[in-house]
């Protein structure tokens, strides 16, 4: 099947309860094994595929995800569009816990990750245009879907991609804010760039799970994050039911 839509689920979204599963497929790639089998199914009356970025048991930390294998596998089965769902920390005042956001920019602070397909025995050097890292058309669909569903969502913003797996220090978050970042996560890169290299339309749906370090009161706990993610992922599921027919 070609021209597929894929949903990549991050922390808090390791499965889609509303997905009518038809089959699961493990794809071997030249870059190793993906995070897990690709789940084929029907959602909102349309065929989609789903991949859990951290594995279906949420056991793969962000710096050890095989991003190249994940993206190559999706492209191999005919995926042309990806909605990438990710939990993030809020930096600026408008990005409070529970908020949905559709970033339009990204700054990469990661290191030591396999971040390109263009290496090895090359016949020429390729430089992708990454001025606008997220697909404009797909972002417009997410924005329209959120409005139609009556969801309050931030329709722009800059995503800071950090290495992880530890959370950031308060000083690091202040640096990110000075750099112009609105939210911080650990999986946005190289995922977005690899999708661009493969010609896949890619857009992010970020769910703010907590205030970033130093932006809230006290320490950041997994209990707080889990509570916000439950609410946020319910909003994501509502959004997907509306957006998928539009895409």
């Amino acid at each position: 099947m070609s021209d597929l839509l894929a949903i990549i689920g991050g922390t808090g979204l390791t499965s889609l309860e509303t997905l009518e599963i038809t089959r699961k497929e493990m794809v071997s790639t030249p870059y190793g094994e993906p995070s897990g089998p690709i789940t084929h199914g029907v959602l909102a009356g349309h065929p989609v595929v789903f991949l859990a970025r951290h594995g279906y048991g949420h056991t793969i930390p962000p710096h050890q995800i095989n991003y190249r294998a994940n993206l190559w596998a999706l492209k191999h089965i005919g995926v042309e569009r990806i909605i990438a769902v990710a939990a993030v920390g809020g930096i600026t005042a408008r990005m409070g816990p529970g908020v949905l956001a559709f970033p339009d920019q990204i700054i990469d602070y990661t290191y030591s990750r396999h971040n390109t397909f263009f290496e090895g025995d090359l016949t020429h050097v390729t430089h992708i245009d990454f001025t606008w890292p997220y697909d404009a058309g797909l972002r417009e669909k997410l924005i329209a879907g959120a409005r139609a569903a009556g969801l309050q969502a931030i329709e722009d913003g800059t995503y800071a991609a950090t290495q992880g797996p530890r959370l950031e220090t308060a000083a690091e978050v202040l640096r990110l804010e000075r750099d112009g970042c609105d939210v911080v996560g650990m999986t946005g890169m190289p995922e977005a760039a690899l999708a661009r290299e493969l010609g896949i339309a890619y857009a992010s749906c970020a769910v703010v799970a907590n205030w970033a370090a130093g932006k809230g009161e006290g320490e950041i706990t997994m209990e707080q994050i889990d509570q916000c993610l439950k609410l946020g992922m319910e909003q994501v599921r509502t959004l997907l039911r509306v957006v998928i027919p539009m895409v």
Side-chain angles (χ1 to χ4, degrees):
M1 182 181 295
S2 62
D3 201 29
L4 272 172
L5 169 69
I7 299 160
I8 299 179
T11 300
L13 191 69
T14 54
S15 65
L16 285 173
E17 290 88 345
T18 52
L19 179 68
E20 181 185 336
I21 297 173
T22 56
R23 64 187 175 95
K24 294 186 177 182
E25 175 184 12
M26 196 65 197
V27 180
S28 295
T29 87
Y31 304 97
E33 297 302 312
S35 295
I38 297 171
T39 302
H40 294 253
V42 177
L43 184 58
H46 296 267
V48 298
V49 298
F50 177 80
L51 178 64
R53 185 186 288 114
H54 297 277
Y56 290 90
H58 199 268
T59 55
I60 308 173
H63 66 297
Q64 292 187 324
I65 293 169
N66 193 336
Y67 295 96
R68 291 194 298 183
N70 286 350
L71 273 294
W72 191 95
L74 292 173
K75 180 67 174 181
H76 181 70
I77 65 169
V79 168
E80 297 294 337
R81 296 179 297 277
I82 293 173
I83 295 174
V85 181
V88 298
I91 297 175
T92 52
R94 60 180 181 157
M95 297 294 187
V99 165
L100 290 186
F102 308 128
D104 60 348
Q105 280 296 333
I106 193 166
I107 300 178
D108 187 8
Y109 300 92
T110 65
Y111 51 87
S112 302
R113 299 184 181 189
H114 294 294
N115 59 7
T116 182
F117 292 108
F118 299 130
E119 61 184 20
D121 298 325
L122 301 177
T123 58
H124 61 281
V125 176
T126 301
H127 301 285
I128 59 167
D129 175 50
F130 209 50
T131 306
W132 298 98
Y134 302 106
D135 182 77
L138 197 50
R139 283 191 69 254
E140 288 173 3
K141 293 292 192 300
L142 288 171
I143 291 169
R147 291 175 178 174
L151 300 173
Q152 292 186 341
I154 305 299
E155 298 177 358
D156 61 358
T158 297
Y159 178 119
T162 57
Q163 179 70 2
R166 68 167 177 84
L167 298 177
E168 300 72 34
T169 68
E172 287 170 334
V173 169
L174 286 176
R175 173 200 174 194
L176 299 179
E177 186 172 23
R178 288 195 298 270
D179 285 352
C181 300
D182 294 285
V183 295
V184 55
M186 301 175 187
T187 60
M189 287 291 286
E191 196 172 86
L194 292 170
R196 180 65 55 86
E197 287 187 354
L198 292 174
I200 301 174
Y202 178 99
S204 173
C205 175
V207 181
V208 182
N210 57 279
W211 285 114
K215 292 297 179 178
E217 296 182 1
E219 295 183 357
I220 301 170
T221 68
M222 290 308 300
E223 289 78 12
Q224 293 171 338
I225 291 174
D226 288 342
Q227 288 176 2
C228 286
L229 279 181
K230 287 179 182 178
L231 172 62
M233 291 307 168
E234 283 302 316
Q235 295 184 78
V236 170
R237 293 182 180 97
T238 299
L239 174 65
L240 290 176
R241 285 195 294 270
V242 176
V243 165
I244 286 172
M246 299 170 65
V247 174

